[in-house]
């Protein structure tokens, strides 16, 4: 057995080393505290939003059902990467086994894909609500909403099942250091000592389809929405519709912009530092911003939150 074969066989399933964000920071302790606070804010904000949607009857609408699913995805998304990263920093360990790496990659890819399609479903929901309000109860009934959400989760998991097994079967013998804070596909492929050009091309085509279909749905939906708003006689109705859509567009721009850079830009545009910063946007920043965007700018949600808090205070006074 030659040395190359031995190295390949013995590094294929050995532990990887996550270089991580903290190695790039001059103040790793402060950065760790900030990320931990953001993580808690994400869990708290999205949990509150989910509880509000399911506890308040006037929020039992398709739009808020999709928002609650987005919150669930965001909670899972940040939980896949951040706890491991924080624990490694606190304990001084930055290793991850191959099975753990594969599981993290699968969950991450599945959630990214699911969220891409969910944002498209949310755009379509707003299109039907604003452009076809009389048919909205029929076109977006409970069964249709469940089918759309189930389809989003299924298509996202297909992405994970397609890319994860192939990525993890490559021999990794160049290095065991992943220049990232989690097992992201592009960062892991760089460690392979085999020719990955065909796989990278197939991954690029897969990501184009995964992003292109939702982008077409989103751009078409908002084009028709803007045309409908322009023709509206009611200034108040147009303003309300525009506020709702602008919230969605803020989320979409952040999420899709970062995803397109990571998976569709040529490798010449990428550096480990840039990739980590961009990944922070859609793994850490976007999940904490979503509940703020959908609550602060939404009178229904803020009203439901005040109602929940007032009921809670009344209940405490009754107990006393």
């Amino acid at each position: 057995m030659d040395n190359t074969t031995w190295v390949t066989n013995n590094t294929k399933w050995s532990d990887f080393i996550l270089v991580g964000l903290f190695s790039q920071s001059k103040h790793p302790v402060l950065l760790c505290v900030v990320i931990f606070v953001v993580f808690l804010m994400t869990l708290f904000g999205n949990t509150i939003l989910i509880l509000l949607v399911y506890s308040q009857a006037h929020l039992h609408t398709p739009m808020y059902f999709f928002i609650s699913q987005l919150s669930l995805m965001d909670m899972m998304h940040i939980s896949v990467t951040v706890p491991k990263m924080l624990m490694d920093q606190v304990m001084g360990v930055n290793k991850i086994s191959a099975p753990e790496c594969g599981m993290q990659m699968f969950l991450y890819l599945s959630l990214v894909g699911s969220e891409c399609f969910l944002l498209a479903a949310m755009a379509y929901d707003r299109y039907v609500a604003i452009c076809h309000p009389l048919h909205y109860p029929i076109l977006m009934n409970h069964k249709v909403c469940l089918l759309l959400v189930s389809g989003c989760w299924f298509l996202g998991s297909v992405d994970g099942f397609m890319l994860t097994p192939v990525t993890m079967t490559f021999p990794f013998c160049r290095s065991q250091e992943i220049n990232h804070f989690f097992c992201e596909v592009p960062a892991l492929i760089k460690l392979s000592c085999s020719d990955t050009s065909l796989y990278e091309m197939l991954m690029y085509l897969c990501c184009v389809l995964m992003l292109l279909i939702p982008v077409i749905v989103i751009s078409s939906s908002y084009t028709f929405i803007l045309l409908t708003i322009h023709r509206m006689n009611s200034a108040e109705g147009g303003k309300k519709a525009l506020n709702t859509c602008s919230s969605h567009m803020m989320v979409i721009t952040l999420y899709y912009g970062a995803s397109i850079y990571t998976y569709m830009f040529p490798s010449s545009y990428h550096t480990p530092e840039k990739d980590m910063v961009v990944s922070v946007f859609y793994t850490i920043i976007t999940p904490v911003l979503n509940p703020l965007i959908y609550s602060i700018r939404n009178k229904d949600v803020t009203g439901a939150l005040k109602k929940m808090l007032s009921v809670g205070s009344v209940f405490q006074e009754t107990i006393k």
Side-chain angles (χ1 to χ4, degrees):
M1 184 182 290
D2 59 26
N3 290 335
T4 304
T5 305
W6 186 89
V7 170
T8 300
N9 289 338
N10 284 274
T11 56
K12 185 176 180 181
W13 295 110
S14 59
D15 291 346
F16 295 105
I17 298 170
L18 292 169
V19 174
L21 283 174
F22 302 110
S23 63
Q24 311 294 324
S25 175
K26 294 180 180 179
H27 306 285
V29 176
L30 177 61
L31 181 60
C32 184
V33 171
V34 170
I35 292 176
F36 179 64
V37 171
V38 170
F39 175 66
L40 292 180
M41 288 174 61
T42 302
L43 294 184
F44 178 76
N46 284 291
T47 301
I48 290 295
L49 199 52
I50 291 171
L51 289 175
L52 284 175
V53 170
Y54 283 94
S55 64
Q56 302 297 317
H58 69 282
L59 298 182
H60 292 174
T61 64
M63 184 179 79
Y64 294 110
F65 173 65
F66 290 131
I67 288 174
S68 68
Q69 290 295 307
L70 180 65
S71 291
L72 179 60
M73 289 180 185
D74 283 339
M75 290 172 64
M76 294 175 68
H77 200 163
I78 199 170
S79 298
V80 167
T81 57
V82 170
K84 167 68 176 170
M85 179 173 61
L86 294 177
M87 286 296 294
D88 286 353
Q89 176 63 17
V90 171
M91 299 180 70
V93 179
N94 58 350
K95 289 185 177 181
I96 184 169
S97 68
E100 289 175 333
C101 187
M103 181 57 68
Q104 188 182 61
M105 185 186 300
F106 168 74
L107 293 173
Y108 157 77
L109 288 171
S110 298
L111 289 165
V112 167
S114 298
E115 192 155 334
C116 283
F117 284 106
L118 183 66
L119 290 172
M122 293 173 72
Y124 173 72
D125 170 68
R126 290 300 83 206
Y127 158 73
V128 177
I130 294 169
C131 301
H132 303 283
L134 298 178
H135 298 97
Y136 184 71
I138 299 171
L139 295 175
M140 295 300 295
N141 59 51
H142 185 64
K143 186 177 180 180
V144 171
C145 292
L146 287 176
L147 285 172
L148 284 173
V149 168
S150 300
C152 294
W153 284 100
F154 173 74
L155 291 171
S157 64
V158 168
D159 188 34
F161 276 118
M162 285 176 59
L163 297 181
T164 304
V166 180
T167 304
M168 295 306 296
T169 53
F170 282 115
F172 303 107
C173 54
R174 287 180 181 169
S175 171
Q176 292 173 271
E177 288 191 354
I178 302 174
N179 282 313
H180 218 296
F181 58 92
F182 68 98
C183 291
E184 191 167 35
V185 177
L188 205 61
I189 287 176
K190 293 176 183 177
L191 307 184
S192 177
C193 53
S194 62
D195 182 16
T196 60
S197 56
L198 178 60
Y199 174 62
E200 289 180 52
M201 187 183 300
L202 292 173
M203 183 177 69
Y204 176 82
L205 293 173
C206 175
C207 292
V208 166
L209 289 174
M210 291 289 291
L211 293 171
L212 185 62
I213 295 171
V215 165
I216 290 173
V217 173
I218 290 167
S219 57
S220 301
S221 297
Y222 283 109
T223 299
F224 285 117
I225 286 170
L226 290 174
L227 290 173
T228 302
I229 291 172
H230 180 69
R231 292 195 297 264
M232 276 186 177
N233 295 322
S234 171
E236 185 63 29
K239 184 180 179 182
K240 185 178 179 181
L242 196 59
N243 284 337
T244 303
C245 294
S246 63
S247 299
H248 295 180
M249 288 306 297
M250 287 172 65
V251 175
I252 288 164
T253 303
L254 281 171
Y255 198 79
Y256 278 89
S259 299
I260 289 170
Y261 170 84
T262 301
Y263 288 98
M264 295 181 67
F265 272 44
S267 57
S268 57
Y269 287 84
H270 292 262
T271 64
E273 292 76 18
K274 283 183 182 178
D275 289 348
M276 279 193 273
V277 170
V278 172
S279 294
V280 165
F281 271 95
Y282 62 90
T283 58
I284 299 175
I285 295 178
T286 303
V288 76
L289 287 180
N290 283 348
L292 296 176
I293 291 171
Y294 287 116
S295 59
I296 293 175
R297 295 171 57 86
N298 192 305
K299 292 181 180 180
D300 292 333
V301 175
T302 52
L305 181 59
K306 289 177 182 178
K307 184 179 177 181
M308 178 183 281
L309 293 174
S310 64
V311 170
S313 61
V314 170
F315 180 72
Q316 287 181 351
E317 290 177 3
T318 304
I319 293 175
K320 291 178 181 179

